[in-house]
Amino acid sequence: MKLKQIVQATLAAASLLAIPLSGMAAEVEVLHYWTSGGEAKSAAELKKLMEAKGVSWKDFAVAGGGGENAMTALKARVIAGSAPTAAQIKGPSIQEWGKEGVLANIDVAANEGKWDASLPKVVSNVMKYQGHYVAVPVNVHRVNWLWVNPEVLKKAGATAPSNFEEFFVAADKIKKAGLIAVAHGGQPWQDATVFESVVLGVGGAAFYQKALVQLDPASLNSPTMIKAFDTLAKIKTYIDKDAAGRDWNLATAMVINGKAGMQFMGDWAKGEFSAAGKQPGKDYLCLPAPGTEKAFTFNIDSLAMFNVKGADQQKAQQTLANAVMSPEFQEVFNLNKGSIPARAGVSRAKFDSCALKSMDDMDATSKSGGLVPSFAHGMAIDSAKAGAIQDVVARFMNSTMTSQAAASALVKAAKAK
């Protein structure tokens, strides 16, 4: 990651940042990028929870760039010796910050809250550095969803697909009915989102783990990976010509409005259906992406804790960690966000059928080995390698590159530093 080198370029910006001089006995400053409607509501709930516990909340919200702006601000603050109490970080980035020696050990909170018993091991492992908790999970997003408009299926005389053979039959019928079969936004991260679900559906969870998490060269350049690219090439033929640069939520709107039949996207898409007043099971279907019924690609939002000085500040930090893991907060945050609680023991009463399916599938896959980190959403590998693989996928989606050439290119991309 080479944080110190990266941050030299951003130090000039540090002087523009308001570096807090906390005069309060118990205060937490939280850097995050939960700035959209539902997310901001959730952050406000956490603030309320902390203030009820006698801890003052200092909000450090940084909008834009899918978190990139927030990371730039965080790097400047850490180098300036003024790290916030906690920051929204996820996946391998937690380990990268851990190596810098700037994260706080929050095992006291984890032991008090019995986190090991409340979290699937694959989730708790992401929250630890060298065996110690340094971060707390806020939620779990499922990425491998297929969103379907049942009215479009009905018009086309098609049925909801469970595998790729059925998917292409349905896509053909939707296309023949004069509608768009696959709603998509031609942006690299969206291409990568479809790609990882295809790899999972074609190869299964064990292959996905070897190829996109362990970056095994033989798996990356294998007949199974070539078949995955062949499948992706076929999906391309059902995407409309105006997809380039389209935002994901506009693609979701195409499904909502009946202009398109299906979309590969994570469960944040559900927020768009909900905002449009649509009901799951009636107005839209949430299905595991073709062939991925027994697997679950996860994307976890989490707060990493930074070293703070003074017993009062350290105690406030532990209070924050346990507040985030409380069933009360996990419920309200995830009802607003469209995701599901990271921990066990949260009431299911207010969650809809898509969320309940997600909860059941996460529980089942955490026991079966089908729970795997999302490559496309920064949970599986470091950012340099993920970016290089994403570039290969984007090239494949926007050119006549062959499946064999793409699979070979993945091996080289997996060595990126």
Side-chain angles (χ1 to χ4, degrees):
M1 187 174 182
K2 298 178 182 172
L3 281 176
K4 292 184 176 67
Q5 294 96 309
I6 295 169
V7 173
Q8 295 306 318
T10 63
L11 270 175
S15 61
L16 302 175
L17 294 168
I19 296 176
L21 297 170
S22 170
M24 301 212 46
E27 177 182 86
V28 291
E29 185 189 18
V30 182
L31 187 157
H32 63 87
Y33 46 97
W34 292 313
T35 54
S36 75
E39 294 171 336
K41 272 189 207 168
S42 301
E45 288 293 333
L46 186 54
K47 177 182 178 180
K48 215 189 298 177
L49 206 58
M50 292 301 290
E51 290 178 345
K53 294 174 186 290
V55 178
S56 175
W57 172 281
K58 190 171 185 69
D59 204 51
F60 189 175
V62 182
E68 289 167 23
N69 296 348
M71 290 308 96
T72 300
L74 177 62
K75 287 166 189 172
R77 283 286 298 274
V78 172
I79 291 297
S82 181
T85 312
Q88 184 185 348
I89 302 170
K90 63 183 187 177
S93 291
I94 295 170
Q95 304 304 308
E96 292 169 5
W97 281 103
K99 284 174 193 166
E100 295 295 318
V102 294
L103 296 184
N105 180 326
I106 53 168
D107 283 345
V108 170
N111 291 335
E112 187 185 311
K114 299 179 179 171
W115 295 3
D116 275 344
S118 302
L119 295 170
K121 193 164 172 44
V122 72
V123 175
S124 62
N125 284 346
V126 176
M127 301 301 124
K128 293 177 180 178
Y129 176 67
Q130 294 185 342
H132 300 286
Y133 278 99
V134 293
V136 56
V138 179
N139 65 349
V140 177
H141 282 293
R142 186 182 195 173
V143 181
N144 61 312
W145 280 120
L146 183 73
W147 304 93
V148 179
N149 184 319
E151 195 57 39
V152 170
L153 291 185
K154 193 176 169 186
K155 276 183 194 169
T159 54
S162 62
N163 56 45
F164 276 113
E165 189 179 348
E166 293 172 2
F167 173 84
F168 289 123
V169 169
D172 275 332
K173 288 182 176 178
I174 294 167
K175 199 172 178 179
K176 279 175 188 162
L179 297 163
I180 296 161
V182 179
H184 183 63
Q187 297 172 339
W189 74 268
Q190 292 190 61
D191 294 340
T193 299
V194 179
F195 170 70
E196 76 172 16
S197 283
V198 171
V199 171
L200 188 62
V202 169
F207 175 79
Y208 177 100
Q209 185 79 26
K210 283 188 82 174
L212 295 182
V213 182
Q214 296 167 9
L215 302 179
D216 169 54
S219 300
L220 290 170
N221 192 9
S222 66
T224 304
M225 186 59 77
I226 290 166
K227 186 179 177 188
F229 274 114
D230 285 345
T231 305
L232 190 60
K234 194 167 181 183
I235 290 171
K236 273 202 294 183
T237 65
Y238 296 99
I239 296 169
D240 68 294
K241 61 180 175 50
D242 298 322
R246 178 187 289 140
D247 287 334
W248 70 269
N249 54 314
L250 299 181
T252 305
M254 291 165 64
V255 179
I256 292 171
N257 299 330
K259 290 180 182 174
M262 304 179 280
Q263 181 191 20
F264 292 86
M265 190 50 62
D267 56 18
W268 47 91
K270 191 174 69 172
E272 299 299 305
F273 286 97
S274 299
K278 304 298 183 184
Q279 298 297 315
K282 178 181 168 228
D283 303 309
Y284 67 96
L285 308 177
C286 50
L287 309 173
T292 72
E293 171 68 39
K294 297 187 185 308
F296 188 119
T297 39
F298 66 82
N299 175 21
I300 305 170
D301 284 325
S302 51
L303 289 178
M305 302 294 167
F306 283 78
N307 290 325
V308 290
K309 292 173 184 170
D312 284 341
Q313 299 308 320
Q314 287 166 1
K315 191 176 178 188
Q317 186 176 63
Q318 303 281 352
T319 302
L320 171 64
N322 269 328
V324 168
M325 270 290 280
S326 69
E328 177 192 359
F329 175 70
Q330 293 262 328
E331 179 189 68
V332 72
F333 185 93
N334 289 289
L335 285 170
N336 283 326
K337 190 89 157 53
S339 43
I340 61 171
R343 59 160 298 152
V346 177
S347 170
R348 294 161 58 107
K350 295 178 184 173
F351 288 90
D352 65 25
S353 57
C354 293
L356 295 178
K357 165 82 174 149
S358 205
M359 289 177 193
D360 290 343
D361 287 355
M362 181 176 163
D363 185 50
T365 57
S366 70
K367 292 168 185 165
S368 70
L371 186 62
V372 292
S374 168
F375 137 74
H377 295 273
M379 296 303 303
I381 52 179
D382 71 60
S383 53
K385 292 177 174 61
I389 291 174
Q390 185 173 277
D391 288 346
V392 172
V393 175
R395 271 209 323 274
F396 181 81
M397 291 292 282
N398 294 288
S399 71
T400 55
M401 188 181 200
T402 67
S403 297
Q404 176 64 75
S408 300
L410 289 186
V411 178
K412 187 179 177 187
K415 295 173 184 170
K417 288 182 182 176

